Amino acid sequence: MIQFDTDRRLFSISTAGSSYVFGLNEKGVLQHLYWGDPVAAADCAPLLGSRLHSSFDAALDRDAEEFAYWGGLSYMEPTLKVRWHDGVRDLRMAYAGHRIERADDGKETLTVVLRDEAYPLEAHLIYGVRPGHDLIERHALIVNTGDRDVVLESAQSAAWSLPELRDYRLTHVTGKWAGEFQLRSASLTEGKKVLESRRGFTDGHANPWFAIDEGTATEESGKVWFGALGWSGNWKIVAEKTAFGRVRVTGGINDFDSEWTLGPGERFETPSFVGGYAAGGFGAMSRGLHRYQYEHVSPGRDLRKVLYNSWEATYFDVNAKDQIALAERAAMVGAELFVIDDGWFGQRSHDRAGLGDWTVNAEKFPNGLDELIGKVRDLGMAFGIWVEPEAVNPDSDLYRSHPDWVYHFPTRARTELRNQLVLDISNPGVKGYIVDFMSKLLGEHDIAFVKWDMNRTITEPGMQDHPLNRQKELWIRHVRSLYEIWAELRRRFPGVAFETCAGGGSRIDLGMLRYADQAWPSDNTDAFDRLSIQEGFSYVYAPKLMTCWVTEAVSGMNKRVTSLKYRFHSAMTGTLGIGANLNEWSEEQLREAAALVAQYKEIRPLVQGGRQYRLRALEHKSVDAVQYVGAGDMGEESVLFAFLHAQKLGDGLPRLRLQGLDPDKRYEIYGMEVDGAKDDGPEVDGVKGDGAEIDGVKGDGPEVERAKDVRSGRALMRIGVELPLRGDFDSLLYRIRELRQP
């Protein structure tokens, strides 16, 4: 997969569907040459060489530099910028060698070593390729080989040079609290487009990934170049287009208010920046990233449990009696995991006090937490718990004992957001406190799941007992300490699953997902709003990693009214959760919910492990549709969800063409309804079925199904299925199975 042509001085990285080529030109510049469909590396040799336009544009080859160090005639966004002990702020890096290694699992790694011409500093550029993936994992290792400090003013993970295209369309996401992961696209003109976070975590206002195409790519076709950064703190991705039409995307740790002092013999490792090329449009991009996460990023390989969370039912009014009543109803509907949220500890009866005091509130739980845990376990569910270890209320025993444990400047007021401050978790005392109380909590109680929240951006970024000239290291130290804490807890408690949650959909990235089993994409649980949030999430992140709740019929966010079926269908496209007050649900609603949960458990392997297809052909008709394809005991299987926003002017809907099926196989199509509800079923190629009726009285097993029709994969993908959706906020669920001859 990785080769070096000694004669031509070319490095080539080959995957099944792509080639990535760079080389050393006559000036010794590590110059990017090609990235796209597979080619022979030797064919790229004529592209290698320096270019000159004028004395003001004297080093155009550096516009496509593989490692863009700041110095000399380089004026684009740098990958590395340093300050030497003598005040010099210039780098002159020269090639010093390379090595290619192969691991037992088949992963190949290329390390290219660059060395400054005058100062003792090395940059190790590291490229990793895994078998079966059209992705390249990149990061850099900066090594101080001397005996004096070196200040890193910017140390980015990678620079991705794009090929010459007719146009450059950037796709990314933006958002806000309750409106995360909203897709945006725009043509890149000369200058810089900067995506970033300066808030201390990944942030819901943007997310650290990019996709670039020529302006014509769709879900199903077109060439797409993309990258996703694995860093859970301040980050920056810069897409820069020059006056000569070259585009380079540089990304890594945000250099705003950030420096790192590299002592003698020390090393600084940048986070991973994964890049890839997909010839099959945005859908192929997403499926490649999803499979990579399932196989090489996510720590949990098991299917995610159906969870119930008590937050919206009780808020801070938590007590053993009410939680047990909720647990009984959660078990009735088929939940496998019961999670108690905020309010179980300290003097936590509201958000103004108690945060940081991680002891069970004796008034709320007079018999301790184990009374509730035991009841949950007796009901056949695992038990989970909410924590927010990085923050503290000023009204808490912890803060009164350790007021200097929070980030602050001595001469400034300590800004409170949500009545809380942020702990300096890089402080050994703070870090030890968190590891100790979490270890005690998990060690003394039968807890299988932790929802780790973080509802506070970082302000007044000052660290006590830390050198004044190294205060700007705070942003990096916080994230590294967070990773170390999670790694230690996962080592001590390998059977516990963790969910990352931060102010809604913040802190979701390929760095955090190496430790978290799943992620909370938004505090907005409105079933219709969630469709766009979950779609934007899915562009990079896998459905299995996305927690989705079913809440009340009247949305607390928008006062929108939707049916229970619609709310479940929306939440069933990821990892299913329930967050409603089940004590207020009728027996009929509980039975319907139980049947829907049973449906989800039947299709869960497909949703959480299959290939996802976002079906966009009906975008103009107010329909969202998503399909999952995988292999089951009965051969190839698929599940289709479709959602109608609103029907207008009596218009019908055209057929929906499926994807990902074998054109030569024949498939049975099943309607999936609950509680005696009946629909006419899909119409395929003019043939209509009788409809399916499912008994949902007990909800203790899978639905009753009746095949609606049998058609070839070719017909389903080219002719499609009818969508009998009507009115406002209607939805359906179809199951498609390969028909095997006896």
Side-chain angles (χ1 to χ4, degrees):
M1 292 185 289
I2 300 177
Q3 293 181 323
F4 178 64
D5 186 327
T6 305
D7 295 334
R8 298 180 177 88
R9 300 207 297 178
L10 297 178
F11 294 94
S12 64
I13 301 174
S14 300
T15 70
S18 70
S19 291
Y20 186 96
V21 184
F22 60 95
L24 280 163
N25 67 20
E26 76 281 5
K27 290 183 179 179
V29 173
L30 205 59
Q31 182 181 351
H32 178 84
L33 302 177
Y34 180 86
W35 189 18
D37 293 315
V39 298
D43 292 338
C44 299
L47 304 176
L48 187 63
S50 58
R51 295 170 58 206
L52 172 70
H53 176 71
S54 70
S55 61
F56 289 96
D57 302 289
L60 296 185
D61 50 303
R62 296 199 66 179
D63 290 358
E65 196 168 14
E66 191 70 12
F67 186 71
Y69 56 87
W70 190 78
L73 294 172
S74 177
Y75 296 103
M76 291 185 71
E77 185 74 19
T79 312
L80 182 63
K81 187 176 185 295
V82 307
R83 185 171 72 247
W84 304 105
H85 66 276
D86 57 4
V88 172
R89 304 185 314 281
D90 182 84
L91 276 166
R92 302 294 174 94
M93 306 293 282
Y95 170 75
H98 75 275
R99 63 182 181 274
I100 299 172
E101 300 168 294
R102 184 181 179 89
D104 292 340
D105 62 359
K107 179 181 177 180
E108 290 191 9
T109 303
L110 166 66
T111 302
V112 179
V113 179
L114 304 179
R115 187 175 295 133
D116 188 82
E117 295 175 353
Y119 293 88
L121 188 76
E122 293 181 352
H124 297 217
L125 315 185
I126 302 169
Y127 303 75
V129 189
R130 298 181 183 274
H133 293 275
D134 290 323
L135 299 170
I136 302 173
E137 302 169 334
R138 292 182 61 183
H139 72 282
L141 183 66
I142 314 303
V143 184
N144 182 351
T145 59
D147 56 6
R148 306 288 291 270
D149 287 351
V150 179
V151 177
L152 305 181
E153 295 185 350
S154 178
Q156 302 300 294
S157 295
W160 301 96
S161 292
L162 278 294
E164 294 183 9
L165 303 176
R166 179 183 58 82
D167 190 16
Y168 294 90
R169 179 176 62 177
L170 171 69
T171 298
H172 62 101
V173 290
T174 186
K176 57 188 177 183
W177 179 81
E180 299 86 347
F181 291 101
Q182 300 303 295
L183 287 160
R184 298 290 185 268
S185 62
S187 292
L188 293 175
T189 57
E190 289 76 7
K192 293 182 179 181
K193 171 70 173 181
V194 180
L195 308 173
E196 66 173 357
S197 172
R198 300 182 180 186
R199 297 169 183 260
F201 48 38
T202 315
D203 197 13
H205 295 80
N207 194 266
W209 65 266
F210 74 92
I212 290 178
D213 74 296
E214 200 168 22
T216 59
T218 67
E219 273 292 308
E220 302 176 29
S221 65
K223 300 178 179 182
V224 181
W225 292 261
F226 57 92
L229 179 67
W231 181 246
S232 309
N234 287 358
W235 58 271
K236 182 172 73 171
I237 292 177
V238 178
E240 185 171 8
K241 185 177 182 180
T242 72
F244 296 91
R246 296 303 303 260
V247 169
R248 187 168 72 195
V249 182
T250 302
I253 297 171
N254 202 325
D255 57 350
F256 174 79
D257 194 48
S258 180
E259 291 183 347
W260 189 271
T261 299
L262 198 61
E266 291 183 347
R267 301 179 169 206
F268 183 89
E269 188 170 11
T270 69
S272 176
F273 197 0
V274 177
Y277 164 76
F282 294 104
M285 172 194 77
S286 299
R287 287 186 290 277
L289 284 166
H290 295 173
R291 188 164 60 85
Y292 170 71
Q293 290 159 47
Y294 288 154
E295 295 179 5
H296 302 293
V297 176
S298 178
R301 297 291 183 264
D302 296 336
L303 294 175
R304 306 298 188 253
K305 291 181 171 63
V306 177
L307 68 83
Y308 176 80
N309 184 290
S310 65
W311 171 247
E312 293 195 15
T314 60
Y315 295 101
F316 295 103
D317 188 14
V318 172
N319 61 71
K321 179 181 177 182
D322 290 344
Q323 293 294 306
I324 288 173
L326 284 168
E328 290 172 345
R329 292 212 155 197
M332 287 174 59
V333 301
E336 300 160 312
L337 170 65
F338 181 89
V339 182
I340 184 174
D341 212 280
D342 200 350
W344 59 269
F345 54 91
Q347 298 304 307
R348 191 70 166 170
S349 297
H350 42 67
D351 67 4
R352 300 184 300 278
L355 190 62
D357 300 338
W358 299 103
T359 55
V360 178
N361 185 300
E363 294 181 4
K364 297 180 178 184
F365 296 92
N367 298 317
L369 203 57
D370 284 340
E371 179 185 16
L372 171 61
I373 295 175
K375 181 61 176 178
V376 168
R377 297 294 293 156
D378 289 344
L379 291 167
M381 297 181 293
F383 181 81
I385 200 163
W386 178 98
V387 294
E388 190 176 356
E390 298 161 75
V392 62
N393 287 130
D395 185 4
S396 67
D397 293 339
L398 178 65
Y399 185 79
R400 285 184 282 270
S401 299
H402 301 284
D404 287 341
W405 273 12
V406 301
Y407 294 129
H408 70 282
F409 292 130
T411 61
R412 301 296 184 192
R414 303 181 184 191
T415 302
E416 293 183 27
L417 294 174
R418 205 171 180 255
N419 306 299
Q420 59 194 53
L421 303 168
V422 181
L423 293 168
D424 176 4
I425 64 173
S426 69
N427 179 319
V430 179
K431 183 177 178 182
Y433 172 77
I434 292 173
V435 172
D436 288 346
F437 92 71
M438 285 297 300
S439 295
K440 182 178 181 181
L441 181 67
L442 298 177
E444 294 182 355
H445 304 287
D446 187 4
I447 295 173
F449 179 89
V450 172
K451 179 180 180 179
W452 185 297
D453 211 340
M454 173 56 166
N455 290 301
R456 179 65 159 79
T457 57
I458 292 177
T459 57
E460 294 85 47
M463 294 184 289
Q464 302 306 300
D465 303 320
H466 202 70
L468 291 178
N469 67 326
R470 303 186 70 164
Q471 288 289 307
K472 292 183 179 181
E473 296 177 353
L474 174 150
W475 307 102
I476 297 173
R477 289 185 178 276
H478 189 98
V479 179
R480 287 186 169 182
S481 292
L482 178 71
Y483 289 164
E484 290 167 0
I485 291 169
W486 278 55
E488 178 61 19
L489 293 176
R490 293 207 68 111
R491 185 191 67 80
R492 294 186 184 186
F493 305 99
V496 176
F498 286 77
E499 178 178 87
T500 176
C501 176
S506 298
R507 199 184 271 168
I508 296 173
D509 58 82
L510 293 185
M512 202 67 222
L513 292 174
R514 295 188 182 277
Y515 303 92
D517 297 88
Q518 57 201 66
W520 180 242
S522 179
D523 286 342
N524 185 347
T525 59
D526 178 282
F528 175 69
D529 283 357
R530 265 302 188 105
L531 295 179
S532 66
I533 293 169
Q534 292 167 187
E535 179 186 40
F537 181 100
S538 75
Y539 261 59
V540 171
Y541 306 112
K544 181 180 180 180
L545 310 181
M546 177 176 65
T547 308
C548 311
W549 284 6
V550 176
T551 51
E552 304 297 351
V554 181
S555 164
M557 184 63 59
N558 302 305
K559 305 306 179 186
R560 180 181 288 118
V561 179
T562 53
S563 69
L564 190 65
K565 179 188 73 169
Y566 185 95
R567 283 176 277 144
F568 261 94
H569 285 170
S570 175
M572 288 163 71
T573 61
T575 285
L576 177 62
I578 302 169
N581 187 353
L582 297 182
N583 287 330
E584 296 182 354
W585 282 19
S586 67
E587 293 300 317
E588 181 181 358
Q589 288 174 309
L590 292 172
R591 287 195 298 270
E592 184 179 359
L596 286 161
V597 170
Q599 280 186 355
Y600 178 75
K601 291 176 181 178
E602 284 291 303
I603 63 173
R604 175 166 46 186
L606 291 174
V607 174
Q608 295 190 12
R611 306 187 306 276
Q612 184 193 58
Y613 294 85
R614 297 180 293 265
L615 306 182
R616 304 296 300 277
L618 299 177
E619 190 173 37
H620 66 292
K621 288 289 185 180
S622 298
V623 171
D624 290 288
V626 61
Q627 178 189 358
Y628 304 84
V629 181
D633 294 338
M634 302 299 293
E636 191 173 70
E637 298 185 47
S638 181
V639 170
L640 169 68
F641 294 90
F643 304 87
L644 174 65
H645 178 197
Q647 191 174 31
K648 301 171 70 174
L649 305 175
D651 291 341
L653 297 173
R655 295 175 182 277
L656 181 65
R657 293 185 296 276
L658 306 187
Q659 294 185 39
L661 304 177
D662 188 324
D664 297 319
K665 289 181 179 179
R666 295 180 66 78
Y667 296 88
E668 296 176 300
I669 308 168
Y670 297 81
M672 299 178 73
E673 291 292 331
V674 298
D675 202 18
K678 189 171 184 179
D679 75 60
D680 290 333
E683 183 179 332
V684 184
D685 199 16
V687 179
K688 204 174 189 65
D690 293 331
E693 185 171 325
I694 292 94
D695 178 10
V697 175
K698 294 184 178 180
D700 56 0
E703 68 286 341
V704 177
E705 296 176 336
R706 189 188 313 162
K708 302 300 187 70
D709 203 355
V710 177
R711 279 293 176 266
S712 69
R714 183 174 289 102
L716 291 171
M717 293 189 291
R718 296 181 182 178
I719 299 173
V721 297
E722 185 189 38
L723 297 178
L725 299 172
R726 300 292 184 267
D728 297 339
F729 305 112
D730 195 9
S731 65
L732 60 79
L733 169 57
Y734 291 155
R735 190 169 184 179
I736 300 114
R737 289 174 175 159
E738 176 186 348
L739 179 63
R740 290 190 167 185
Q741 299 300 327

